[in-house]
Each structure stands twice: as C-alpha cells, then as structure tokens.
Amino acid sequence: MKHLLTLRDTSAEEIQNLLELGAAFQEVINRPVKKVPTLRGKAMITLFYENSTRTRTSFEMAAKVMSAEAINIAVAQSSVAKGESLKDTVLTLQALKADCIVMRHSISGAPMFASQRLGIPVVNAGDGRHEHPTQGLLDMLTIKQAKKGLAGLNVAIVGDITHSRVARSNVWGLTKMGVNVRLVGPRTLMPADAHLMPVKVYDNLQAGLDGVDVVNVLRLQTERMDKGLLPTLREYSRLFGISQKSLKFADKDVLVLHPGPMNRGVEISADVADGAFGINSAVETQISNGVAVRMAVLYTLMGGSGSPSTEA
Amino acid sequence: MKLILTGGRVVDPSQSFDSLASVAIANGVIAGIFTGDIPAEFADAEKIDVTGKTVTPGLIDIHVHLREPGFEYKEDIESGTRAAAAGGFTRVCCMPNTNPAIDTAAVVRQILERTQQVGSAVVHPIGAATRAMAGDQLTEMADLKGAGACAISDDAFPLQHADTVRRVMEYCKMLDLAFLTHNEDKRLTEKGAMNEGIQATIMGIPGMPAVAEDIAVARNIMLAQLTGCHLHLLHISTKGTVDLLRQAKAAGAPVTGEACAHHWALTDEACIGYNTDAKMNPPLRTPEDCEAVKLGLADGTIDCIVTDHAPHAGYEKEVEFDAAPFGILGLETSFPLVYSTLVKPGVLSFSDAIAKMTYIPAGILKLGDGVGTLQVGAPADIAVLDLDAEWTIDRDKVQSKSKNTPFHGMKVQGKAAFTVVGGRVITL
C-alpha cells in the first residue's frame, strides 16, 4: 500500500497485517530502551492544520522509536497562514526531501488531494469528518486483544456521529473484520442516510447498548458542532452519557473505548473514564496501542529495513 | 449580403418543419426555406454546402455566466461567446453576479458594447434584483430594462426573505420582466458542499439537502401566484421541485422552469474522490432526482434546457473540496449531452430538444420577434449541427478560458459544426 488515507479503501488483509505488525511493535515500546534502527535516515513530516497534541505526539514518538526524523509543522507557524495553497505546501515538503507526510486537515479529502500530487506516502491523521484511519486501527487492536478476536462482536459507537471521522473509520474497519456495528446518538447528530451504511442506527441509548461487547464513546466535539444541534450538554449527558448506570444496558464485561480527549461528566462519567468499580476502561491502553499501530503504519509505508524487532 | 445554406436537413420546431431544404439569408434575417429549387434572386448568394448536417435555429442559452466585468481571468465576453458558438449557441443571456453586478444601466450598456466589439453570439444581460445583489434595495429595473436587460435574477445570491421576494416580484410585474430565481434556503445548506445523502455522509462532506431547494421553490411559487409576476425557476435539480412546478402549472400559476444537462446526466457519485469539477450549486443529486428531471422535460413541466455555464480558473478548483468554488462549464457540452442522453435514448424527440433550446427559452424571456426560429424575417441566427459526429469531450480543447468540466473524457455524439449570427458566419 502506498498511502493510508481511509479504512474504507484498505482491504481486510491489509488491516490484518497492520494489526499484527502493531502487536509486534508493542514489544518494542515496552522495552526500557525503546529504539530500533528500522527507519533510520527517513524523515516524517507531520502537517497539522488542526490542533492536536495527542495524535501528533503519537506519530512523533512512533517515528523516533524507529530512528526516523520527525518534523512537525503546525499551520499557524508556516507559510500556510499567509494563504499558500495546499498543493504548494505539500509539494514544498516533498521537495524538502520528506519521506512521508502525516496530515491532519479540517476539510475532508485533503490528504487524498495531497496523495494525488505527491510521490511520497501520505498518512491521513484525520480529515474533517471523513476518516481517522490510525485511530480506527488502534481501536481495533485494543478490542481484538481485550476480547481475543473481532468477528461476531457487537460494538456501539456513541455520540456525535455526524461530525466524527473516528466513527466512520471504525465503521469501515470493524465491519470488514466481521463486527456488528451500531451507531448511537441524537438524531440531530446522526448523518443523512446513516442506515445505508452497514450499521444499525439508534437514537436511544438503552436500545443501542443492549448486550453490546464494546462501547466506543465519542467526544462531544464542540468546535465542530454548529450551534443549536443540542439544547444543552446537560440533556445530552442525561440521554447519552456513558456512566456506570448506562453501562448496565450492555454486556457485563463491556469494554469502554474513548478516542480522547475526554469531557468528564459530559459524554463519559469520571468513574467510567477512570475504570472504577471494575469497569473495563481501555483509554490508556488505546494510547499506547496508538504508538505501536503508527509504528506499523510508518514501517509499512516508508519501507523500513530489517524486521520490526531488530535490536538497536 | 446574401447567404444560402444548401443540402442540409432543416429542422425548425417552431414551424414543425423537418426536411431536406436550403435556408436563405438576406440582410441579416431569414429570407426563406426552400425544399425545391433555389429561387433566382439567390443565384448570387454566397453558398455554403451543409450536406449531411442538420440546420436548426441558433441555440439559445438563457443562463450563462460570462464573468465580465470583474472576473475576466475565468472568462470574458469574447471567450464566453466563442465557447457559445462552439456549442451551437447564437444567443446567450448573462447573469448579473459580475463585479460590478449588472445592477445599473451603465453595466448593461458596457456588456452590450463589448459584445458588439468582440462577441461571437448575441448577448442579453440579465439585471440584478437588488443593488450589489445584497438582498436589500431594489435596482432601477426600469432603467436596466431600458438599457437592454431582458429579465431580473438573484442567481448566486438567492433572496432569503419572503418580503423582499414579494417586492421584487411586484416591481417586475409592473415592468413586465420575468424574475429568474436561484432556489435555495441558505440556512439549510449552510457550509454544504454537495448533495446531502449517503455519498456526502461517506465522504464526510457537509450536505445540501434537496428540501432546501424545494422550500424556496414553494415560497417563490406562492408569491408568484400572489403577485402575478412571471417566475422562472433556475437550474431545477430535485424531484420535489419538478413536482411543485407541475402542480403550479396545473393550477395556472405564471411559472416556468429550466434544467441543466448535469442535473439529469450525473449523480452525486460524480463527487467521489473529492472531484471539484463535480461541485456546483445546486449540487448533483440522486438517480431519483435525475429521473424526475428527465420526466419533467419529457412531459413539458420543465420548459427549456440551459447550461449555467460557470467557468472558474484551474487554481481555484484545484483545492480542498469544501474550499472550491461552485460551478462547471456547460456551453460546449450541452448540445452533445442533450443529443446523447435525451434524444438518442428517446426521452425527447430531436425537435422537442431543439425547441427547448431555441424558441421556447426565447419566448420565456421575450427576446424578440422570431428569435429562436427560422421563420421569414427572424434574425439570421443559425446552428449547423453534425448529428453523426462521435467524439470525446476534452477540456484541453475548449474555447472557454477555463477547464472545469466533469465531462472530460466522456464519449458523446453530436457536435456543432458552425453558427451564423445575424447573417454572419462565425469562425473560431
């Protein structure tokens, strides 16, 4: 595979390979000296048009563990703020001899746009409301390891589906691996024709969580939410908030995921976030898995030398 | 100056004429159509042999953006009318969203003067309804009409308030001007970049629901019924609008409507891959909407065919999808698409298709006696079409300054060979 732009366009086989590679890289990041020469001499440039410390740092960590250079460009500091076109920006980065561009953009399709004009690989780190493939992969790895497999599981994605690239990547990735996916949220935050995707759609939390094995809780993305789609966060929290009480609708061993950052008390209660009272919260595991999965992606796209577990 | 086109199949829907014949022109007007021998008085006429071709009244497009004044880097009157001629059009009506807008008589006169100097087709300016198209103060429509504006429109800046629409309609009615509306409730389409539906949901692009067009149409029809103003619905794209228009006509309301080829030939799937050359407003819709538009054309609900020719520079379109301007070219692809996707499959007869591109739109905007026909005394505006030509649409070979078409690479049948405007053969 040349680029990682979507999980919709990634085959089940390619996803499987990335998950296995990610699992292998988990061992590397758990070492006391986490450094392998796999991508030595390669340069990854992150080009982020939207704020994100978490995802960007995760990519930076992944690159550096594998001895690659990691250079971060935040839009406000680059020439982009003066109005340079996306086309010119990415061509410039390629000409600077970047080996891979990891891009986050507020407009869906921007990484694909870049990939069509570049000879180097592009990784989509989140484009508008479209996809966030590495998030989808790390969610899948987390579920797979906790539940010892993916096929046949029932997973509910809860929250602002309309604006969520995490939701869409989860839908395509999970359904390809045989998971039954449910989208749960208020109607004003459910996209048009959602039922035409291979999912079941619910506007009621109890019905949506009934017997599910995994709940993936989406952050209420206030910066992307148009005003007026919800009356108040209070009402959202009461109807769709994931708490110890609402998790009782799900399977007793339900696993809880959240892409972060969390709004404690809004979409997720503090208890659930902290994994109190025996609740299986996978939030911290997700973050570590994110580094491993991104190592797998960078390795696959930049063609690292040697096997993944080469000693430093 | 006498000119005679010989040997062609002459089709004039206004007279239900369809036969091998010669068309004679004298002094810039049609002198006659002759099926037998050519009369002696034309023995000294310049002869053009159009054997194997089809001769029709010059095509008329009442919805075009020529971009002059103000946006000449996208297109201007010279290149836009050349594109028109390449598409078989001899007459176009240009929309007022220029810079400055066509909101004063001076701009109308400027456009007419430029057309005289460099035009390859006749141009009728359409005036803005409000000053600077800001949706507030009425323009001096009497002055605009006096200078040569043929109608009034809010295209690209659809009026959002019913009271403003009512005032505009009452004023237009007083001056016997048609009001051409771009039908869109902008709050429902806010931030939208393509049709709302499963494609937009998958692609993560904010959607523009069909109902945003239907709501504006319903409001405008009711106000037209109230005021008696002739309402013409621009670029119809939804089943809902077609149904509303059908009902309105059945009720005797003074409403007409038009459709563009892309709204029956393409669906929102053309946007897949974030193709900005498939981005326009109103957007490409669903197969059901396309079928409804075709049915509307076939049963006469939709009166005429237009292009909404909207050129944009390459660098303006080569950006992220949400950031790209709305609009695609149309002048050079309209007739081939009409012929290939409506006439050949039997949705419309050739004569009906030509009617909807000639005397019918001319009549809607009252462009002049005989305009859009080959009747004796009509302006000598003629299209010579090659119905057998099979070719591939190539955006690098267009007359337009811009290249934004989603039809690049499409195989079509039917092409304009050349046009005659006011008795003058147009050479490109």
Side-chain angles (χ1 to χ4, degrees):
Chain A
M1 57 192 290
K2 178 128 209 277
H3 308 283
L4 179 61
L5 301 174
T6 71
L7 288 187
R8 183 168 154 84
D9 300 318
T10 305
S11 70
E13 192 190 340
E14 286 167 330
I15 291 175
Q16 186 68 19
N17 289 343
L18 286 169
L19 293 179
E20 281 170 9
L21 206 50
F25 278 123
Q26 280 173 325
E27 185 273 321
V28 176
I29 60 174
N30 287 324
R31 296 179 194 169
V33 180
K34 47 182 181 293
K35 195 80 168 179
V36 289
T38 324
L39 293 179
R40 189 156 165 271
K42 301 282 191 183
M44 171 198 78
I45 298 190
T46 68
L47 177 62
F48 274 48
Y49 284 74
E50 264 186 353
N51 278 335
S52 156
T53 331
R54 164 193 309 262
T55 304
R56 209 194 66 217
T57 308
S58 183
F59 272 104
E60 189 177 347
M61 179 71 82
K64 285 180 170 168
V65 168
M66 294 192 296
S67 304
E69 299 301 328
I71 299 170
N72 298 318
I73 299 182
V75 169
Q77 294 150 25
S78 77
S79 58
V80 174
K82 291 192 225 134
E84 184 182 41
S85 72
L86 179 58
K87 176 183 176 184
D88 287 331
T89 299
V90 299
L91 287 175
T92 300
L93 296 181
Q94 177 173 254
L96 287 171
K97 299 301 185 184
D99 296 291
C100 173
I101 295 182
V102 174
M103 218 177 119
R104 169 169 287 195
H105 201 292
S106 56
I107 295 182
S108 303
M112 180 179 290
F113 177 95
S115 75
Q116 289 163 347
R117 286 156 181 80
L118 295 175
I120 55 174
V122 175
V123 179
N124 179 8
D127 64 331
R129 34 178 104 165
H130 178 224
E131 286 226 31
H132 191 355
T134 56
Q135 180 71 41
L137 289 169
L138 74 89
D139 287 345
M140 291 165 72
L141 183 63
T142 307
I143 297 170
K144 184 178 176 190
Q145 291 182 332
K147 294 291 182 183
K148 311 276 186 284
L150 284 169
L153 289 177
N154 295 307
V155 174
I157 305 172
V158 183
D160 175 1
I161 310 292
T162 292
H163 298 94
S164 176
R165 50 192 174 222
V166 172
R168 284 169 179 78
S169 283
N170 264 260
V171 167
W172 304 122
L174 289 170
T175 54
K176 273 182 200 191
M177 307 310 270
V179 174
N180 304 313
V181 177
R182 305 179 182 189
L183 299 179
V184 184
R187 281 185 182 234
T188 49
L189 293 175
M190 190 63 68
D193 289 345
H195 62 280
L196 294 182
M197 292 191 286
V199 299
K200 286 202 166 68
V201 179
Y202 297 82
D203 63 7
N204 174 283
L205 187 65
Q206 180 170 356
L209 290 189
D210 184 30
V212 298
D213 305 293
V214 181
V215 180
N216 198 340
V217 187
L218 303 177
R219 179 171 67 90
L220 212 52
Q221 297 170 325
T222 44
E223 83 268 10
R224 266 194 282 281
M225 222 175 65
D226 298 332
K227 273 198 293 200
L229 288 170
L230 291 176
T232 54
L233 295 182
R234 173 175 173 262
E235 182 136 293
Y236 176 83
S237 181
R238 296 174 83 199
L239 290 179
F240 293 97
I242 300 301
S243 61
Q244 204 188 353
K245 182 170 164 214
S246 57
L247 283 179
K248 288 194 166 51
F249 302 134
D251 180 80
K252 64 175 170 48
D253 296 318
V254 67
L255 181 71
V256 180
L257 269 59
H258 191 305
M262 299 186 282
N263 293 320
R264 287 162 178 258
V266 180
E267 74 270 0
I268 190 167
S269 72
D271 288 343
V272 174
D274 292 332
F277 305 116
I279 295 167
N280 296 325
S281 165
V283 174
E284 284 177 26
T285 312
Q286 282 176 278
I287 296 170
S288 306
N289 289 346
V291 179
V293 155
R294 288 169 179 129
M295 287 170 71
V297 169
L298 293 175
Y299 174 83
T300 304
L301 296 186
M302 282 203 270
S305 57
S307 79
S309 301
T310 308
E311 294 291 328
Chain B
M1 220 287 280
K2 290 188 214 160
L3 173 64
I4 189 157
L5 305 177
T6 62
R9 169 191 171 201
V10 179
V11 177
D12 183 4
S14 76
Q15 306 179 69
S16 303
F17 186 95
D18 184 345
S19 179
L20 290 176
S22 301
V23 179
I25 296 160
N27 303 319
V29 299
I30 304 290
I33 304 176
F34 308 108
T35 46
D37 293 329
I38 298 159
E41 64 204 276
F42 293 103
D44 60 338
E46 183 194 336
K47 289 178 181 46
I48 301 180
D49 180 3
V50 291
T51 307
K53 306 278 194 295
T54 305
V55 180
T56 69
L59 303 180
I60 298 172
D61 186 352
I62 61 172
H63 187 160
V64 169
H65 296 271
L66 291 180
R67 305 298 191 205
E68 184 176 344
F71 302 104
E72 293 84 352
Y73 67 94
K74 301 178 200 251
E75 192 86 283
D76 57 30
I77 290 170
E78 181 173 11
S79 64
T81 56
R82 286 172 67 91
F89 294 93
T90 53
R91 199 170 287 253
V92 299
C93 301
C94 61
M95 282 296 177
N97 59 324
T98 46
N99 186 19
I102 309 178
D103 63 356
T104 59
V107 180
V108 173
R109 286 190 202 104
Q110 177 190 350
I111 291 172
L112 293 174
E113 190 180 304
R114 277 296 287 166
T115 305
Q116 282 290 87
Q117 292 164 359
V118 299
S120 300
V122 177
V123 176
H124 297 270
I126 294 171
T130 58
R131 281 191 226 161
M133 306 199 76
D136 190 27
Q137 291 296 306
L138 300 180
T139 51
E140 293 179 306
M141 296 186 214
D143 207 21
L144 288 171
K145 182 176 180 181
C150 64
I152 299 294
S153 178
D154 65 358
D155 193 34
F157 297 97
L159 298 177
Q160 297 296 297
H161 304 292
D163 59 339
T164 312
V165 176
R166 179 190 187 167
R167 259 186 287 130
V168 169
M169 285 188 173
E170 282 168 348
Y171 209 79
C172 284
K173 168 73 177 167
M174 175 180 84
L175 297 170
D176 197 25
L177 283 166
F179 182 36
L180 284 45
T181 58
H182 170 117
N183 308 292
E184 180 185 352
D185 181 313
K186 289 198 87 71
R187 282 183 63 144
L188 281 172
T189 61
E190 192 192 18
K191 296 197 190 125
M194 64 182 282
N195 181 47
E196 182 183 280
I198 186 61
Q199 289 307 326
T201 290
I202 290 173
M203 290 168 63
I205 296 289
M208 305 161 79
V211 79
E213 175 171 321
D214 305 343
I215 283 176
V217 165
R219 176 200 73 197
N220 291 344
I221 287 175
M222 289 179 182
L223 290 170
Q225 287 170 309
L226 177 68
T227 60
C229 172
H230 172 188
L231 166 67
H232 178 78
L233 303 172
L234 295 171
H235 42 47
I236 292 171
S237 75
T238 69
K239 178 174 187 305
T241 296
V242 177
D243 290 344
L244 285 166
L245 179 56
R246 194 177 282 120
Q247 283 169 33
K249 284 186 164 181
V255 192
T256 53
E258 66 182 39
C260 309
H262 47 273
H263 285 126
W264 73 73
L266 293 175
T267 66
D268 53 7
E269 290 186 15
C271 298
I272 291 175
Y274 304 95
N275 180 10
T276 58
D277 282 339
K279 178 178 180 181
M280 80 290 291
N281 188 6
L284 301 173
R285 306 261 192 205
T286 67
E288 291 68 39
D289 295 305
C290 292
E291 278 314 301
V293 170
K294 282 200 252 188
L295 207 64
L297 285 164
D299 75 6
T301 299
I302 300 178
D303 302 85
C304 61
I305 293 167
V306 302
T307 65
D308 193 6
H309 180 83
H312 290 293
Y315 66 83
E316 293 180 303
K317 281 285 205 177
E318 197 180 4
V319 294
E320 306 88 300
F321 194 85
D322 291 8
F326 291 103
I328 63 169
L329 302 179
L331 285 168
E332 297 171 75
T333 50
S334 184
F335 175 71
L337 288 168
V338 168
Y339 192 72
S340 305
T341 64
L342 292 182
V343 177
K344 278 183 66 184
V347 176
L348 275 186
S349 69
F350 180 69
S351 178
D352 281 345
I354 296 299
K356 285 175 166 9
M357 297 175 82
T358 55
Y359 79 91
I360 291 179
I364 286 174
L365 294 192
K366 301 186 185 149
L367 297 181
D369 289 335
V371 170
T373 76
L374 295 177
Q375 295 171 16
V376 172
D381 298 338
I382 297 171
V384 177
L385 307 166
D386 183 352
L387 300 187
D388 298 320
E390 290 179 14
W391 57 292
T392 303
I393 294 172
D394 184 347
R395 65 168 161 244
D396 292 317
K397 297 212 174 103
V398 297
Q399 292 290 328
S400 173
K401 282 188 187 178
S402 297
K403 301 188 182 315
N404 49 317
T405 174
F407 298 109
H408 176 71
M410 183 171 168
K411 289 188 171 39
V412 288
Q413 186 177 337
K415 202 174 211 258
F418 64 91
T419 57
V420 177
V421 178
R424 174 173 66 106
V425 175
I426 302 295
T427 39
L428 293 174

